[in-house]
């Protein structure tokens, strides 16, 4: 299992045996998902796992050979943590069974949610030849206390164990956010992790409320934070467009520009939307200039990819933000990469 700063795991290779890696992986998974995890690949077990605490929320990203997760009625009786377990499957497939004879097949890109208060049986498997698979299944999961969601458990019952598409609406926003969070988990400070845990709860609540047509059940602050996160995602997707401005963003979200400004500033620690757009463009340019795969692209071309067509404007803003000109940053970054 891989290691990165702030994320738990164990190294493979010549270190622990396959059985020890399996036991450590099972321990990490079981810290909030109390269940019996088994695998037919214990003798050759190699997996990756990234786990990070986001305040009361736990984020788990993992890839592993085919495995089975069972939570029995006895486990529920012995201890019920009253948690919801949300999973976004990114590779492989799942066959999920629940005590009420529900049977579901979950595919890549589906979101599923189960709770710790009821038994379940989940089989995760790869696609293709099981004998050749290295990582049979992969996904990003979130464990969060049931008490944090504004939707009563009885209303949520019809969603449990179902494969729900994340390809549109709040489901798409939630999935995009979880994947980005998993990629950046090791970079988070404790304060950032706690704040992002609140965002996760808001997005999960908004997604569930949308699926149940119960958006009005969400607290006003949660609805507002969901809109702001949708705005951030929209900006990140459209950074290449030099016409990306607050009025364009407001129109895409069917709200007035003044209302957008108030919402965004309130839920962004005082940062304005215009400053966020500018900062995101400069951060993208900073990354792209340091990318060896883009070394043949001119500096002006990099700026244009980030929605900043004016060369002089780009150079001034970049140096003000990073203390180096775009050319100096690129030369330092690429020469450093060449030495490694």
């Amino acid at each position: 299992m891989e290691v990165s700063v702030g994320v738990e795991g164990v190294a493979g290779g010549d270190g622990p045996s396959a059985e020890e890696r399996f036991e450590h992986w099972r321990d990490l998974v079981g810290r909030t998902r109390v269940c019996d995890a088994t695998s037919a690949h214990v003798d050759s077990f190699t997996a990756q796992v990234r786990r990070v605490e986001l305040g009361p929320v736990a984020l788990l990203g993992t890839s592993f050979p085919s495995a089975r997760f069972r939570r029995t009625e006895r486990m529920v009786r012995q201890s019920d943590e009253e948690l919801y377990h949300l999973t976004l499957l990114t590779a492989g497939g799942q066959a999920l069974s629940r005590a009420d004879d529900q049977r579901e097949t979950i595919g890549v890109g589906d979101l599923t949610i189960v709770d710790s208060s009821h038994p379940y049986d989940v089989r995760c498997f790869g696609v293709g030849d099981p004998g050749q698979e290295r990582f049979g299944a992969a996904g990003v999961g979130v464990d969060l206390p049931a008490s944090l969601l504004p939707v009563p458990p009885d209303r949520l019952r019809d969603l449990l164990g179902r494969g729900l598409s994340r390809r549109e609406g709040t489901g798409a926003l939630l999935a995009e956010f979880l994947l980005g969070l998993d990629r950046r988990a090791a970079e988070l400070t404790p304060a950032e992790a706690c704040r992002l845990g609140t965002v996760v709860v808001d997005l999960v609540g908004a997604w569930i409320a949308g699926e149940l047509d119960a958006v009005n059940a969400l607290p006003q602050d949660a609805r507002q934070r969901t809109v702001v996160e949708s705005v951030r995602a929209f900006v990140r997707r459209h950074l290449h467009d030099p016409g990306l401005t607050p009025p364009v963003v407001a129109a895409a979200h069917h709200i007035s520009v003044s209302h957008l400004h108030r919402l965004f500033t309130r839920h962004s620690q005082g940062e304005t939307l215009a400053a966020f757009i500018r900062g995101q463009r400069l951060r993208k340019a900073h990354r792209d200039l340091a990318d060896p795969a883009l070394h043949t692209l001119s500096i002006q071309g990099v700026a244009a990819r980030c929605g900043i067509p004016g060369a002089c404007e780009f150079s001034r803003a970049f140096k003000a933000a990073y203390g180096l000109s775009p050319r100096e940053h690129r030369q330092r970054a690429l020469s450093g990469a060449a030495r490694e």
Side-chain angles (χ1 to χ4, degrees):
M1 303 179 193
E2 70 178 14
V3 177
S4 57
V5 178
V7 184
E8 302 177 21
V10 295
D14 297 329
S17 67
E19 185 172 353
E20 288 172 330
R21 293 197 297 271
F22 171 74
E23 290 299 331
H24 191 86
W25 171 82
R26 187 164 68 166
D27 175 66
L28 282 175
V29 172
R31 290 192 184 182
T32 45
R33 302 187 178 206
V34 180
C35 60
D36 179 26
T38 58
S39 174
H41 301 271
V42 174
D43 293 340
S44 58
F45 198 83
T46 304
Q48 296 178 336
V49 63
R50 302 162 299 281
R51 180 185 170 88
V52 63
E53 304 296 331
L54 307 171
V57 177
L59 177 77
L60 185 74
T62 184
S63 307
F64 51 91
S66 56
R68 184 179 185 183
F69 306 87
R70 285 178 290 182
R71 181 166 173 80
T72 64
E73 291 185 2
R74 181 179 179 182
M75 290 177 178
V76 174
R77 288 195 302 269
Q78 289 177 336
S79 174
D80 181 10
E81 299 80 12
E82 297 186 348
L83 295 172
Y84 286 122
H85 308 303
L86 173 71
T87 301
L88 169 63
L89 193 67
T90 58
Q94 287 184 353
L96 189 151
S97 303
R98 298 184 68 238
D100 56 2
D101 295 327
Q102 179 186 9
R103 302 286 186 273
E104 295 280 342
T105 300
I106 314 300
V108 171
D110 286 345
L111 288 161
T112 56
I113 187 166
V114 296
D115 66 339
S116 63
S117 301
H118 297 88
Y120 57 79
D121 186 341
V122 180
R123 298 173 186 265
C124 298
F125 49 87
V127 294
D129 182 2
Q132 301 299 316
E133 65 180 5
R134 178 172 175 79
F135 294 131
V140 179
V142 172
D143 302 327
L144 68 164
S147 60
L148 294 182
L149 293 183
V151 180
D154 61 319
R155 291 288 309 277
L156 192 57
R157 187 176 300 120
D158 290 342
L159 293 185
L160 296 177
R162 290 172 49 194
L164 301 164
S165 175
R166 55 96 172 184
R167 293 175 178 82
E168 58 184 23
T170 311
L173 177 61
L174 171 61
E176 180 182 343
F177 186 83
L178 293 180
L179 291 172
L181 194 56
D182 182 44
R183 287 192 297 268
R184 303 286 182 180
E187 304 170 13
L188 299 177
T189 65
E192 289 172 332
C194 191
R195 181 180 67 80
L196 291 173
T198 300
V199 177
V200 170
V201 172
D202 288 339
L203 291 177
V204 173
W207 168 64
I208 288 172
E211 292 288 338
L212 297 174
D213 195 22
V215 173
N216 289 336
L218 296 174
Q220 184 180 37
D221 266 10
R223 294 200 301 270
Q224 291 178 349
R225 286 191 293 263
T226 300
V227 171
V228 170
E229 194 53 47
S230 177
V231 166
R232 292 194 183 104
F234 182 86
V235 167
R236 287 190 288 266
R237 289 195 302 270
H238 294 84
L239 286 176
H240 62 280
D241 182 1
L244 179 67
T245 60
V248 170
V249 177
H253 289 80
H254 310 291
I255 56 179
S256 70
V257 176
S258 59
H259 184 54
L260 171 61
H261 281 312
R262 286 195 299 272
L263 280 186
F264 194 90
T265 303
R266 178 184 175 191
H267 294 285
S268 301
Q269 292 77 52
E271 183 181 38
T272 66
L273 176 56
F276 176 76
I277 294 173
R278 183 169 57 252
Q280 289 294 304
R281 282 175 165 157
L282 290 173
R283 276 190 280 275
K284 176 173 171 52
H286 190 268
R287 291 193 302 270
D288 288 356
L289 287 168
D291 187 347
L294 298 175
H295 76 280
T296 59
L297 184 63
S298 69
I299 290 176
Q300 188 170 352
V302 170
R305 277 168 53 96
C306 302
I308 311 175
C312 293
E313 173 195 355
F314 173 59
S315 183
R316 284 195 301 270
F318 191 94
K319 190 165 186 176
Y322 296 106
L324 295 171
S325 71
R327 188 176 305 280
E328 289 169 336
H329 168 62
R330 170 175 264 183
Q331 289 172 344
R332 288 192 184 185
L334 295 184
S335 62
R339 288 194 299 268
E340 292 178 355

